[in-house]
Amino acid sequence: MASLSLVLARFPGLVEQVYGAGVGPRIARALSLATGWFPVSVSWLLFLGLGAWAGVRSARAVARIRRGELGWGSAFKGGGIRLAGVVGLLLLVFYLFWGLNYARAPIDQRLGLVTAAPLDVKELRDLTAHAMERTNPSPGRPT
């Protein structure tokens, strides 16, 4: 799927037509409805779940090794294959639900906006300093 995403990145118009204007908004809406009420990142929960799953599987494998039912090599090989399968499945889900957005055309092109030349370094420093001052004002100084 990652390879497909790299290929599709060369055809942003096709991705925009099929994914961006078709399936993508429906997927985003469904995910928003399913997870918007939950105040925690779903990806963080998946990460914790994957860690717990790996921990339980590892503990079971160590117990089997201690009982003499399994060798270290077989445990690592089997665990590695399972872990690779789960990670592959998660990557597939990521690319289908969200990752294809990386293959879409930039937002300014999609919205037909004309972008100005990039800011020069001095202008960017001044803007950053202004934003920092407004965000973190000096004590005793009004904002």
Side-chain angles (χ1 to χ4, degrees):
M1 192 65 184
S3 299
L4 179 60
S5 180
L6 289 173
V7 170
L8 289 174
R10 297 184 177 268
F11 305 100
L14 176 65
V15 175
E16 186 62 33
Q17 183 181 7
V18 174
Y19 182 79
V23 179
R26 287 186 226 143
I27 291 172
R29 176 82 172 136
L31 287 174
S32 177
L33 289 173
T35 63
W37 57 272
F38 202 65
V40 176
S41 168
V42 174
S43 63
W44 179 242
L45 292 176
L46 288 173
F47 178 74
L48 288 176
L50 181 62
W53 173 81
V56 168
R57 297 288 303 183
S58 297
R60 286 181 182 168
V62 168
R64 288 184 66 197
I65 290 168
R66 286 188 177 166
R67 289 192 304 259
E69 299 172 5
L70 188 66
W72 282 102
S74 296
F76 279 115
K77 183 178 169 185
I81 290 171
R82 278 193 187 89
L83 183 61
V86 169
V87 169
L89 180 65
L90 290 174
L91 282 173
L92 175 69
V93 169
F94 168 78
Y95 276 110
L96 288 176
F97 284 159
W98 194 58
L100 289 177
N101 283 309
Y102 289 110
R104 294 173 70 183
I107 189 75
D108 57 343
Q109 290 177 9
R110 287 185 276 152
L111 296 177
L113 300 175
V114 177
T115 54
L119 294 173
D120 66 6
V121 175
K122 182 186 179 325
E123 193 175 357
L124 188 57
R125 281 190 186 133
D126 292 344
L127 178 63
T128 304
H130 176 74
M132 286 173 41
E133 181 63 32
R134 295 289 297 178
T135 304
N136 304 313
S138 301
R141 200 171 146 197
T143 56

